[in-house]
Amino acid sequence: YSILMEIGLQTSGILTSWVKAPLTMDKDDILFRNLDATAELVKYIDLRGKTITNTSHVVGYSMLGNMGVHRFTFELSVDGDVFYKGETSFGWFVPEVFEKQVGLDNGKKVQPWHISQRLARADGIVKYDMTSDTDRRRLFAKAEGEKLLRRSKQVEFLDTITLLPMSGVYKKGYVHGQKIVDKNDWFFSCHFWCDPVMPGSLGVESMYQMMEAFCIHSGVGGDMTQRCFEHDLGKVSWKYRGQLTPKNNKMDAEVHIKSVTHRAGQYVVIADGFLLVDNLRVYSTKNMRLIVQESEEQIAAVAKPVPRARPLQQARSTTLLPRKEQFSSQVGRRAPARRDPPAGCLITDRNP
């Protein structure tokens, strides 16, 4: 999902500079950060081999103290067909703001939900060490031969994943993930020039990774033959009020499953989430949407017609003879030998 987020958001950074918004700050050293967004996947389009067009518009700009807030809309389309759209806000900040970031709770530090609720040793809790080959096999063995393992290790962002089925604020399931910050992680040097920070989209992606682990562990769609993941149509919202940099020590992420519903051959999983940096909540998400469904290969295999055997008379070449010759050619032929039906076969009164 983070790929769609980045394609939708990155043009805002170009547009804000093109309209000279940074000049309103009257500062030499300022930082540009996404604040929030609501995005909607409106249509499924096979993007392989296609060119995506991003159309973005500035819809507002205002100064809030030492911060400049720029608002945009965006639409992603292929051949004029819009498939992803949203509205978003970005901020221009002086670096000092992030030296004392206050997060979503006005500076208050909190524990992950399952710890604050004293559920760290609850019955049914399961923990996977994603850095251990043994634990990875233990989790992924539940999806062997299926299409649920869609991530390379480069886009796995958690060292451990802890699951509590039928828990969380909605009593539908709770997942906690943790990562010890590696100051050499690849994304720090690939985001902003000389401004190492984990992209917010990758924090959201870690929450989708936990939703996938929940589905695999809990057997969502276990009645299917070859499951795969897909993103559901609809709106997803996120809010950022802080960041993760190489100066931080630990990242915690958590998702609360809101619903798991069955719909026309699919299972739809919806969840809310939070991300904590050194116990400060800095991200929140609403209505992350994931589908478990049969893979394209399995659907094609089921839909493929079974070839029917050709009747023997169609396989032979037939030469049409005049009626008299047809009759004479049949003189002297023997009738086919009688064959009794196999034992146990249904015999009707029409049998001789």
Side-chain angles (χ1 to χ4, degrees):
Y1 192 78
S2 58
I3 296 174
L4 287 177
M5 292 173 65
E6 287 297 326
I7 296 173
L9 297 176
Q10 284 187 0
T11 52
S12 298
I14 300 171
L15 192 53
T16 191
S17 298
W18 186 71
V19 298
K20 301 179 174 59
L23 298 181
T24 63
M25 299 288 292
D26 195 25
K27 299 285 184 180
D28 294 330
D29 186 13
I30 53 178
L31 306 176
F32 187 63
R33 296 289 188 271
N34 188 214
L35 292 173
D36 48 51
T38 297
E40 181 179 8
L41 184 64
V42 296
K43 181 179 290 188
Y44 293 119
I45 292 181
D46 187 348
L47 300 176
R48 291 171 291 187
K50 303 294 179 60
T51 298
I52 298 174
T53 300
N54 183 326
T55 304
S56 297
H57 295 90
V58 174
V59 294
Y61 184 80
S62 57
M63 291 294 299
L64 297 176
N66 291 326
M67 176 178 67
V69 178
H70 219 164
R71 298 186 299 279
F72 305 86
T73 61
F74 62 86
E75 289 184 344
L76 303 186
S77 61
V78 170
D79 298 328
D81 202 1
V82 175
F83 66 91
Y84 188 66
K85 64 181 182 179
E87 52 188 28
T88 184
S89 297
F90 281 80
W92 286 101
F93 300 88
V94 294
E96 292 80 9
V97 171
F98 291 103
E99 295 298 326
K100 298 179 180 179
Q101 59 183 2
V102 298
L104 295 165
D105 302 303
N106 199 29
K108 179 183 176 182
K109 293 199 172 186
V110 298
Q111 294 289 343
W113 183 85
H114 72 298
I115 296 177
S116 67
Q117 300 296 311
R118 299 181 180 179
L119 295 173
R121 297 184 180 180
D123 292 340
I125 193 169
V126 178
K127 185 174 182 178
Y128 294 98
D129 181 352
M130 301 305 291
T131 67
S132 161
D133 289 340
T134 300
D135 269 17
R136 292 175 65 86
R137 286 193 297 267
R138 184 164 62 97
L139 173 61
F140 296 142
K142 301 174 184 290
E144 188 173 355
E146 301 191 68
K147 300 288 186 177
L148 297 181
L149 313 183
R150 62 177 183 169
R151 297 180 179 276
S152 69
K153 288 191 176 181
Q154 186 177 11
V155 285
E156 292 183 1
F157 303 104
L158 300 166
D159 297 334
T160 62
I161 296 177
T162 302
L163 299 102
L164 265 171
M166 305 310 293
S167 188
V169 297
Y170 303 110
K171 305 297 183 185
K172 301 293 185 180
Y174 170 82
V175 192
H176 167 259
Q178 188 175 87
K179 172 183 174 62
I180 302 302
V181 176
D182 181 351
K183 304 183 189 310
N184 296 313
D185 267 326
W186 63 269
F187 45 77
F188 285 134
S189 61
C190 297
H191 196 198
F192 295 125
W193 175 250
C194 296
D195 179 15
V197 60
M198 182 180 187
S201 59
L202 298 189
V204 175
E205 192 66 41
S206 74
M207 300 180 197
Y208 274 104
Q209 182 184 348
M210 289 188 290
M211 292 176 69
E212 292 170 9
F214 168 82
C215 293
I216 295 172
H217 173 81
S218 303
V220 176
D223 56 332
M224 298 178 178
T225 302
Q226 191 180 67
R227 297 170 292 171
C228 69
F229 290 121
E230 180 63 87
H231 294 291
D232 187 29
L233 301 180
K235 294 182 178 180
V236 179
S237 300
W238 59 88
K239 179 185 293 185
Y240 304 146
R241 292 299 183 267
Q243 62 181 7
L244 186 148
T245 74
K247 296 179 180 179
N248 298 116
N249 298 312
K250 181 184 66 168
M251 179 190 88
D252 290 278
E254 56 187 11
V255 294
H256 299 266
I257 305 299
K258 296 178 74 172
S259 63
V260 179
T261 56
H262 187 258
R263 178 190 68 194
Q266 300 174 328
Y267 289 89
V268 182
V269 183
I270 299 178
D272 295 342
F274 294 99
L275 186 138
L276 297 78
V277 174
D278 294 336
N279 294 107
L280 186 71
R281 289 202 305 180
V282 293
Y283 300 178
S284 67
T285 60
K286 295 287 186 183
N287 297 322
M288 294 181 294
R289 317 175 75 88
L290 190 66
I291 286 176
V292 179
Q293 63 183 15
E294 290 282 13
S295 67
E296 291 181 2
E297 292 87 345
Q298 178 62 24
I299 294 173
V302 171
K304 185 177 181 180
V306 178
R308 298 178 62 183
R310 268 192 318 180
L312 185 60
Q313 61 269 26
Q314 291 182 9
R316 296 172 178 165
S317 60
T318 304
T319 302
L320 295 178
L321 300 173
R323 182 175 179 84
K324 183 177 180 181
E325 293 184 25
Q326 288 184 36
F327 177 79
S328 62
S329 68
Q330 296 176 15
V331 174
R333 280 189 176 181
R334 291 184 179 180
R338 171 175 172 168
R339 293 184 180 180
D340 294 326
C345 181
L346 176 64
I347 300 176
T348 70
D349 293 336
R350 294 186 180 182
N351 290 117

